[in-house]
Amino acid sequence: MLYHGKARDLVLKLKHSDRHDVVRPAVQWMTRTARPLVRPNMLVSPIPLHWIRMVRRRYNQSALLAERLAKTLDLEYCPDLLVRPRATMSLDGKSRDERFATLNDAIQPNPKRVNLMVGRPILLVDDVLTSGATFTAATAACEKSQAGDIHVIALARVAKRA
């Protein structure tokens, strides 16, 4: 979905208003897009939150999407494949360059899960794709662990208005 109007409202309800009922229809849409990306032995993982943000929000909306997507596609799910060892400021209102600088090395492979990634295709799941900085940081973390092909999917994407 494009991240504006009702789609934006839907994502924000999932992200900030405990509207977990959004997950089921959202994953139905995401499944259609994700099916061509599926590979044998693929591992599905959400973009991680730093523990402070997780405590404030009480859940990771990307993890809710990733878990249901993995189940729907009959793939293995690993909620803690990646970690955010340092807190980062909110990316709202940041430029593309500021987003990439903020997220540089902010996402790392979980040392306890590195062995799961070696040579395996990975599907990373997030709620919104804005600049690509978050997926870039997460992909770099997977590459550090010698993962196989890395694919990404987001529920919504921000597009520049013409």
Side-chain angles (χ1 to χ4, degrees):
M1 309 187 287
L2 289 178
Y3 186 70
H4 71 271
K6 294 210 182 279
R8 181 179 182 274
D9 293 343
L10 192 71
V11 171
L12 290 175
K13 286 177 182 175
L14 170 62
K15 193 170 199 161
H16 299 294
S17 299
D18 291 333
R19 290 290 307 273
H20 298 204
D21 58 305
V22 170
V23 172
R24 177 171 276 165
V27 167
Q28 288 176 349
W29 301 323
M30 293 173 79
T31 299
R32 287 191 291 270
T33 302
R35 279 203 197 281
L37 304 176
V38 172
R39 303 292 180 265
N41 201 30
M42 183 171 257
L43 185 60
V44 179
S45 182
I47 296 297
L49 294 178
H50 185 268
W51 71 267
I52 292 172
R53 189 160 292 154
M54 182 72 165
V55 167
R56 278 193 216 130
R57 199 172 285 161
R58 296 183 319 278
Y59 63 94
N60 178 347
Q61 71 283 355
S62 297
L64 297 174
L65 294 167
E67 182 176 26
R68 184 169 287 269
L69 185 62
K71 186 175 185 175
T72 302
L73 294 170
D74 197 28
L75 296 171
E76 185 178 349
Y77 171 66
C78 186
D80 61 346
L81 191 68
L82 302 173
V83 295
R84 281 197 189 208
R86 66 179 169 85
T88 55
M89 63 184 92
S90 171
L91 299 177
D92 288 343
K94 301 280 187 223
S95 71
R96 181 187 183 282
D97 290 343
E98 290 170 325
R99 287 169 177 267
F100 274 84
T102 299
L103 288 168
N104 186 40
D105 287 329
I107 299 175
Q108 297 294 320
N110 182 339
K112 296 176 184 175
R113 303 289 181 247
V114 169
N115 62 325
L116 290 177
M117 282 191 262
V118 177
R120 287 182 77 177
I122 308 292
L123 179 60
L124 298 173
V125 180
D126 204 359
D127 58 344
V128 179
L129 169 64
T130 303
S131 66
T134 304
F135 276 136
T136 297
T139 298
C142 292
E143 288 172 342
K144 282 183 190 177
S145 298
Q146 301 175 350
D149 292 339
I150 304 161
H151 301 269
V152 301
I153 188 168
L155 172 59
R157 70 175 176 87
V158 175
K160 290 182 183 178
R161 295 188 186 238

